[in-house]
Amino acid sequence: MTSIMQSSSTNSSSTSSKNLLRISGMASGIDTDSVVKSMVSNYQAKIDKANQAKQILQWKQDAYRDIIKGVKGLQEYFNPTSDKYILGSNSMNINTATSDITSIASATATSSATAGTYSVDVTKLAEQAEIQGNAKDSLIKISDFKAHTTQQISGTSGTVDLSGLNSNGATLVADINNKISESTSSLKGQLSASYVKETINGVTTEYIKFTNTSSDTSLKYTDSAYTGTSSISINSGISSSTKLSDLGIKASNGEINFKVNGKAISLTPVDGTTTVQNLMDAVKSATSGAVTMNIDDITGSISFQSKDYGSTSSVTLEDTGSTLTNLGITLTSGKASDTGADAIVEITAPGQATTTTTQSSNQFTINGMNYNLVNKGTTNITVTADSDKVVTNIKDFIKDYNTIISTINTKLTEKKNNDYPPLTDAQKESMSEDQIKAWETKAQVGILRNDEYLSNLMSQLRGVFSSPVYSSYTSGDPTKNSKVALSFGKYGNAVGIDTSKDVTDGGLLVVADENKLTNAIKNNLEDFKKLFIGATDNPELSDDKSYIGSDNYMEDGLLKRMDNILRQYVAAPGLGQDGKYTLSGSMNIFVNKQYDYSSSGYSSKNTLSDQVYKQTLVISKLNTQMSDAENRYYKQFSALESAMNSLNSQQSALTSMFSAG
């Protein structure tokens, strides 16, 4: 049914009675085809008229969809995911914040922040609660290595002598790998060194990381002449894919038996393929993400961290077996615990005394400033006010608003030229494509003249700017109503934006006084925001109440009102950008929703799609009637031809008889 409705092609008698054996008027001398065509011309006229009516409906759909697409473009100003979004505080924010040292702290300034320079001294960062395990990878500090004298790596696979190396950093690691390569042991290709460094709280430590991929589990780094760390086992490195059994955790002996913040860790089933990642997932699941288990990529140490920061965050581990010990966690009487720490910051705002604040997070907001702490230290953050950005945002909106208003106004007022009805198929056959296109362009002018939907939409949009905005509004009790200090227009305490005085332009917006606009933004920004993007605090309206004229409407800002009105016509921002949406928006539904799929056309709700479908049924019925009439007339002419042939035969026989006598 849908394909029938959407077809824009017309139907004609050229397809009627295709299979009928048509007999020319050889006996009667009648041009049968011409006569039949003339006899059914009244049907063809009806079909042409029905096709023209259908074409007009389809042109209306196309014209509506173009307008809807334009309105959807304007709705980008009301779409939180769009760069044009104007209802958010950022679009009305004249303040920008710049930090001298972003590696210490940065900030964004809201519209309520005071312009000037803020001194920010971070004495302590907020920290998560964390229990850190011992390094599980084979790491040696480069500073320790250089202090040794008789280093070597040895095991059942052989020995690699590392004595006498005293270079630095990555060069030292390269020298060690050369030693391994020059070795006569079987460790070549199975033992390697890599250079890694780790920075914690601003302190950087350089390491040599050994990796052993051989089957020799006895491999050790040793230095018999050094009194410090003289023996380190060299393993293959720990990662999330490491099997728990390789860490000495044997589930069959009840090793998986510990708690995190009182939550028992459940891991089922556990076998020789169970990995550290499986355990990490179990910890996250048991604590609902409040605690995570992690692996340090550099050291291979396993840690448990709280999701939250600050002194109220904590992590407590309890183990009745040896799972945590095998993970490298140091326990006291089977337990380990840690508490997070608060951030401590001294802030000196412009013209204010220094205040010390304690925060549970490194991201927080004070007096309109959104701070982000990165490291300890002192930096200056400068807030500058620039009203030009807000002025530009408003002027951009006005430009795009006026574009769609002008388009709608043109459609409502353009006059239809009745000399250009839709073309019939027969007319198109004698015209070129350019001629058809030029004709149809003129034929579509005025297709939406005085359209009710568009007229109502324009009226409601103009009404947005004619009703004042209130901070509080109670219907029927003016004494309780409080207007926003600023008003729309250019007189008195207004913002310098007004509607055009030309009644023929449909109510375009104009910046009548840019100085007033700039001054309102600079000096009364909060009232300016209420006037344009403020939202009511009233409860949601019930379904049986109208939005326009309601308490909600009177308290909503001008652009908030417009957003709600457009949603009623074309659905929410971001939905149906192609103009063909059918689930919500009264104009969308009227243009695109087809309710009627019946063979009779009696299930219609009179949407444009229903009207197109109904016209399609009418055309189909007329084609059938014309085809039946053609068949009937051809049968009658066929009978006439047969009778004439019989008469001619009899006349010929009589003539022959008389001639013979």
Side-chain angles (χ1 to χ4, degrees):
M1 288 291 187
T2 303
S3 60
I4 294 176
M5 180 205 74
Q6 294 176 340
S7 173
S8 61
S9 62
T10 57
N11 299 288
S12 69
S13 61
S14 61
T15 59
S16 303
S17 307
K18 286 184 177 179
N19 300 319
L20 180 66
L21 179 59
R22 296 175 177 179
I23 302 174
S24 62
M26 295 179 64
S28 64
I30 299 173
D31 185 349
T32 307
D33 286 341
S34 296
V35 173
V36 171
K37 184 176 181 180
S38 176
M39 294 175 73
V40 298
S41 60
N42 61 324
Y43 289 103
Q44 186 61 57
K46 291 180 180 178
I47 291 172
D48 288 342
K49 187 175 181 180
N51 274 318
Q52 288 174 317
K54 177 180 176 181
Q55 181 64 79
I56 290 173
L57 291 171
Q58 291 173 323
W59 281 342
K60 279 189 175 182
Q61 281 184 306
D62 292 338
Y64 265 119
R65 287 167 181 160
D66 286 341
I67 289 174
I68 291 172
K69 284 188 281 188
V71 174
K72 299 308 293 187
L74 183 66
Q75 278 189 304
E76 288 300 291
Y77 285 98
F78 310 133
N79 186 349
T81 64
S82 171
D83 293 337
K84 291 184 176 182
Y85 186 54
I86 202 169
L87 295 181
S89 58
N90 285 339
S91 69
M92 297 288 179
N93 185 6
I94 65 175
N95 291 325
T96 57
T98 306
S99 173
D100 290 347
I101 309 175
T102 56
S103 59
I104 292 176
S106 61
T108 57
T110 68
S111 58
S112 63
T114 303
T117 300
Y118 295 70
S119 175
V120 180
D121 182 9
V122 183
T123 58
K124 186 174 180 57
L125 290 172
E127 298 174 356
Q128 299 161 287
E130 181 179 32
I131 298 175
Q132 182 77 47
N134 299 319
K136 301 292 287 184
D137 286 348
S138 308
L139 292 173
I140 301 170
K141 290 182 181 179
I142 285 180
S143 57
D144 287 346
F145 183 94
K146 292 174 63 176
H148 296 189
T149 56
T150 58
Q151 302 99 319
Q152 67 176 20
I153 296 174
S154 60
T156 58
S157 301
T159 301
V160 177
D161 183 17
L162 302 178
S163 300
L165 299 180
N166 197 35
S167 49
N168 286 303
T171 302
L172 174 60
V173 172
D175 291 343
I176 291 172
N177 282 323
N178 287 335
K179 285 280 191 179
I180 295 172
S181 179
E182 294 168 358
S183 168
T184 58
S185 72
S186 61
L187 293 174
K188 287 187 292 186
Q190 300 180 7
L191 174 66
S192 62
S194 58
Y195 170 74
V196 295
K197 63 180 179 179
E198 184 175 51
T199 301
I200 300 176
N201 294 329
V203 178
T204 299
T205 305
E206 297 177 296
Y207 294 96
I208 304 164
K209 182 175 182 178
F210 288 104
T211 302
N212 171 28
T213 59
S214 72
S215 59
D216 187 352
T217 58
S218 66
L219 211 59
K220 292 180 181 294
Y221 162 84
T222 58
D223 183 0
S224 59
Y226 185 61
T227 58
T229 304
S230 58
S231 179
I232 298 175
S233 296
I234 298 179
N235 55 35
S236 60
I238 306 301
S239 69
S240 60
S241 60
T242 298
K243 295 180 177 61
L244 295 182
S245 57
D246 292 341
L247 299 177
I249 300 173
K250 300 176 182 178
S252 60
N253 296 331
E255 297 290 338
I256 307 295
N257 188 13
F258 68 98
K259 294 181 179 180
V260 178
N261 284 2
K263 304 290 186 180
I265 304 305
S266 176
L267 192 58
T268 305
V270 177
D271 53 33
T273 65
T274 306
T275 66
V276 172
Q277 182 64 55
N278 297 139
L279 190 57
M280 292 166 65
D281 293 341
V283 170
K284 183 177 181 180
S285 175
T287 63
S288 300
V291 177
T292 57
M293 174 181 163
N294 305 286
I295 296 181
D296 189 313
D297 292 334
I298 294 176
T299 66
S301 65
I302 291 173
S303 63
F304 293 81
Q305 288 181 324
S306 64
K307 177 183 177 182
D308 295 332
Y309 286 71
S311 58
T312 60
S313 65
S314 64
V315 174
T316 299
L317 304 179
E318 303 172 70
D319 197 358
T320 57
S322 59
T323 299
L324 293 174
T325 301
N326 287 329
L327 291 175
I329 304 296
T330 301
L331 302 174
T332 301
S333 300
K335 291 186 178 182
S337 62
D338 187 55
T339 301
D342 292 328
I344 302 175
V345 192
E346 290 184 354
I347 299 175
T348 307
Q352 302 293 321
T354 300
T355 60
T356 300
T357 179
T358 300
Q359 299 288 334
S360 62
S361 172
N362 292 316
Q363 291 84 38
F364 57 91
T365 300
I366 294 179
N367 295 330
M369 293 286 287
N370 303 315
Y371 293 98
N372 177 41
L373 310 183
V374 182
N375 256 313
K376 292 189 291 185
T378 302
T379 185
N380 288 328
I381 297 176
T382 304
V383 174
T384 55
D386 181 11
S387 59
D388 290 345
K389 182 177 71 171
V390 179
V391 171
T392 298
N393 289 341
I394 292 294
K395 290 172 73 174
D396 286 346
F397 171 80
I398 290 175
K399 178 182 176 182
D400 290 344
Y401 172 82
N402 285 344
T403 296
I404 188 61
I405 291 298
S406 294
T407 299
I408 296 175
N409 191 53
T410 297
K411 293 296 181 182
L412 284 171
T413 58
E414 61 185 7
K415 294 182 179 179
K416 184 171 180 59
N417 190 336
N418 293 322
D419 293 335
Y420 290 90
L423 295 167
T424 65
D425 284 352
Q427 290 171 327
K428 289 181 180 179
E429 288 177 0
S430 62
M431 299 171 68
S432 68
E433 288 187 9
D434 288 343
Q435 288 174 324
I436 293 172
K437 182 177 180 181
W439 181 286
E440 291 187 340
T441 297
K442 293 179 180 179
Q444 292 179 56
V445 172
I447 202 78
L448 294 178
R449 180 176 174 81
N450 295 327
D451 178 81
E452 183 178 357
Y453 266 101
L454 298 184
S455 296
N456 289 340
L457 174 58
M458 288 283 279
S459 177
Q460 290 183 16
L461 290 178
R462 285 193 293 267
V464 162
F465 304 104
S466 62
S467 300
V469 176
Y470 291 83
S471 296
S472 61
Y473 182 82
T474 303
S475 300
D477 191 352
T479 62
K480 294 184 179 180
N481 297 334
S482 175
K483 290 183 180 180
V484 172
L486 293 176
S487 63
F488 193 75
K490 63 180 180 179
Y491 301 108
N493 198 26
V495 295
I497 302 173
D498 207 348
T499 52
S500 170
K501 300 308 177 186
D502 186 348
V503 295
T504 65
D505 64 17
L508 300 181
L509 297 180
V510 294
V511 179
D513 190 333
E514 189 161 334
N515 287 332
K516 275 185 172 290
L517 175 60
T518 302
N519 289 334
I521 293 170
K522 281 184 177 179
N523 303 318
N524 296 280
L525 185 59
E526 290 308 308
D527 282 327
F528 187 88
K529 288 165 63 177
K530 288 179 183 177
L531 179 64
F532 282 93
I533 66 172
T536 181
D537 291 329
N538 283 331
E540 289 293 322
L541 289 168
S542 60
D543 293 336
D544 61 344
K545 289 185 179 179
S546 172
Y547 173 65
I548 295 176
S550 67
D551 292 2
N552 287 28
Y553 180 84
M554 301 306 289
E555 291 185 16
D556 278 344
L558 302 177
L559 299 184
K560 182 65 176 175
R561 293 174 182 176
M562 187 181 297
D563 176 30
N564 285 333
I565 289 171
L566 293 182
R567 286 169 183 261
Q568 292 175 358
Y569 279 85
V570 297
L575 296 177
Q577 300 295 100
D578 61 355
K580 297 181 180 180
Y581 196 65
T582 62
L583 298 181
S584 61
S586 58
M587 190 183 296
N588 287 341
I589 292 172
F590 173 69
V591 175
N592 300 303
K593 180 74 170 178
Q594 182 177 345
Y595 293 94
D596 190 1
Y597 288 94
S598 68
S599 59
S600 61
Y602 291 151
S603 300
S604 171
K605 291 193 177 181
N606 210 39
T607 64
L608 276 179
S609 294
D610 280 346
Q611 293 177 49
V612 170
Y613 178 66
K614 185 175 183 179
Q615 207 61 34
T616 302
L617 295 179
V618 169
I619 293 168
S620 178
K621 182 178 180 180
L622 288 171
N623 271 306
T624 299
Q625 291 174 349
M626 186 172 71
S627 178
D628 291 343
E630 286 178 332
N631 290 337
R632 185 170 63 253
Y633 292 143
Y634 274 111
K635 286 180 181 179
Q636 291 174 355
F637 278 108
S638 178
L640 175 61
E641 288 295 315
S642 297
M644 291 296 293
N645 282 329
S646 177
L647 180 61
N648 288 338
S649 296
Q650 292 176 8
Q651 184 178 9
S652 177
L654 289 172
T655 301
S656 298
M657 289 174 60
F658 287 130
S659 297

